[in-house]
Amino acid sequence: NHTRISEFILVGFKSHPGSQLFLSVLFSTMYIVTVVGNVCMILVIRMDSNLHTPMYFFLENLSTLDICYSSVITPRATLAFLLGRRNISYSGCASQMFFFSLFGTTEAFFLAAMAYDRFTAICNPLLYQVIMSKRLCVLMVMGSYLSGCINCTIQTGFTFSLSFCGPGEINHFFCEVAAVIHASCSDTLVNELVMLATCGSIIVGTALVVFISYGYIIITIVQMPSAESRHKAFSTCSSHMMIICLFFGTVFFMYAQPGATSSPNKSNTVSIFYTIVIPMLNPFIYTLRNKEVKGSLKKQLKR
């Protein structure tokens, strides 16, 4: 057996009982808001035929992904703070890492696909329906999940090929890749290089698609003759741009730079942002910044 332990102890955010109760209430509240907000977004899109377009197809899938993404982390962390049970089995830790990596990677590819969709809609409006066919949209979603499967298999496989001994303490509130690597008693250089290479290439690759797409979008919007058309084009992209900045900014800080495993205390706080806060904010940002979604929501509430 490559390990001498049967479970890990999640020791991230050691604090006194009062703070633990506060964190459990905070996490559970944010999780409920995340689930309710994203379910409402899915229902609004499905119930309004006017929203059955490629953009909202991706948005519906993003909401589903955010529910799954948050569900992998938040309920377990909430119980740990509330009950003080920080132990997690070896297989449970591996499973959590697998699905966390799967959904996190898939979200990065989703955001890139959504950027390409907006590029096509604004820069090639006459060919939009031809290019962004239903078949292509489905293939892009399936390709995003396939890429997520490849990455999470690599990350989980390499991480749990390490030896873990002693107390098996993970300085995090969930089985995050860098934190688990840091808890190993093996030489982790190869694992750190693999994590930097795979995660770095995914983040940089998807970010390049996003930035190139929005570079062309901005040039096209600036060249539009009327202020009204510029405002309309920008309003359809602004919410997506906000989500991109939030997601890629925090994920780049965590995984796409050398020494990502060397500051676990700092990563605890940053991880809350991209695993719990961003999935909660996504439906609100898209609702508040999107006139079509707000109009559809008002229509459904009146019914």
Side-chain angles (χ1 to χ4, degrees):
N1 193 0
H2 55 70
T3 182
R4 293 193 292 273
I5 63 172
S6 60
E7 64 180 12
F8 295 98
I9 304 172
L10 301 170
V11 298
F13 291 108
K14 287 181 179 178
S15 56
H16 56 79
S19 297
Q20 291 182 2
L21 179 61
F22 170 75
L23 287 172
S24 68
V25 173
L26 179 64
F27 276 34
S28 59
T29 301
M30 288 195 293
Y31 179 65
I32 292 169
V33 173
T34 298
V35 173
V36 172
N38 282 288
V39 167
C40 287
M41 178 66 74
I42 293 168
L43 291 175
V44 167
I45 293 171
R46 289 193 176 184
M47 294 172 68
D48 191 341
S49 59
N50 294 323
L51 301 182
H52 293 176
T53 63
M55 183 177 79
Y56 293 105
F57 172 77
F58 288 120
L59 184 53
E60 180 184 348
N61 279 277
L62 180 65
S63 293
T64 303
L65 185 68
D66 280 338
I67 294 172
C68 298
Y69 190 34
S70 186
S71 297
V72 171
I73 307 298
T74 316
R76 179 67 178 76
T78 301
L79 289 175
F81 289 127
L82 183 63
L83 304 177
R85 296 176 184 171
R86 297 175 179 270
N87 293 9
I88 184 170
S89 67
Y90 184 83
S91 59
C93 187
S95 298
Q96 189 180 58
M97 180 184 292
F98 180 90
F99 287 107
F100 160 73
S101 300
L102 168 63
F103 296 132
T105 305
T106 303
E107 180 144 350
F109 281 95
F110 266 16
L111 293 175
M114 293 170 74
Y116 177 74
D117 170 72
R118 291 298 83 206
F119 159 76
T120 307
I122 292 173
C123 300
N124 296 293
L126 298 178
L127 297 175
Y128 178 66
Q129 295 297 333
V130 177
I131 296 173
M132 296 304 297
S133 63
K134 186 174 182 179
R135 181 175 178 273
L136 178 62
C137 293
V138 171
L139 286 175
M140 291 173 81
V141 169
M142 291 174 62
S144 297
Y145 275 106
L146 178 61
S147 301
C149 283
I150 293 171
N151 183 54
C152 68
T153 301
I154 293 171
Q155 296 297 335
T156 308
F158 269 87
T159 301
F160 283 88
S161 66
L162 295 170
S163 295
F164 298 94
C165 42
E169 293 186 345
I170 299 174
N171 190 2
H172 220 300
F173 61 92
F174 70 99
C175 289
E176 188 264 342
V177 180
V180 176
I181 290 175
H182 195 74
S184 172
C185 54
S186 303
D187 181 7
T188 62
L189 177 61
V190 173
N191 292 75
E192 292 186 37
L193 291 175
V194 169
M195 187 187 75
L196 182 63
T198 55
C199 294
S201 61
I202 289 168
I203 295 166
V204 172
T206 52
L208 276 175
V209 172
V210 169
F211 293 143
I212 292 172
S213 297
Y214 273 98
Y216 280 107
I217 287 170
I218 291 170
I219 292 171
T220 302
I221 290 175
V222 170
Q223 293 176 345
M224 288 180 176
S226 68
E228 184 181 352
S229 58
R230 288 196 297 269
H231 176 75
K232 184 178 179 180
F234 182 76
S235 66
T236 63
C237 300
S238 58
S239 55
H240 187 229
M241 291 172 68
M242 291 174 66
I243 296 300
I244 285 168
C245 292
L246 291 172
F247 182 83
F248 281 103
T250 52
V251 172
F252 183 86
F253 175 85
M254 286 291 298
Y255 299 107
Q257 56 175 330
T261 63
S262 62
S263 54
N265 290 324
K266 189 184 295 183
S267 71
N268 285 343
T269 304
V270 178
S271 296
I272 289 179
F273 201 72
Y274 72 85
T275 59
I276 300 174
V277 177
I278 291 178
M280 179 186 68
L281 291 178
N282 281 355
F284 292 99
I285 291 175
Y286 279 107
T287 301
L288 295 174
R289 303 286 300 180
N290 191 306
K291 290 182 179 179
E292 289 180 329
V293 175
K294 283 193 290 186
S296 178
L297 184 59
K298 289 177 182 177
K299 203 184 300 179
Q300 299 300 331
L301 289 174
K302 286 179 181 179
R303 288 180 184 176

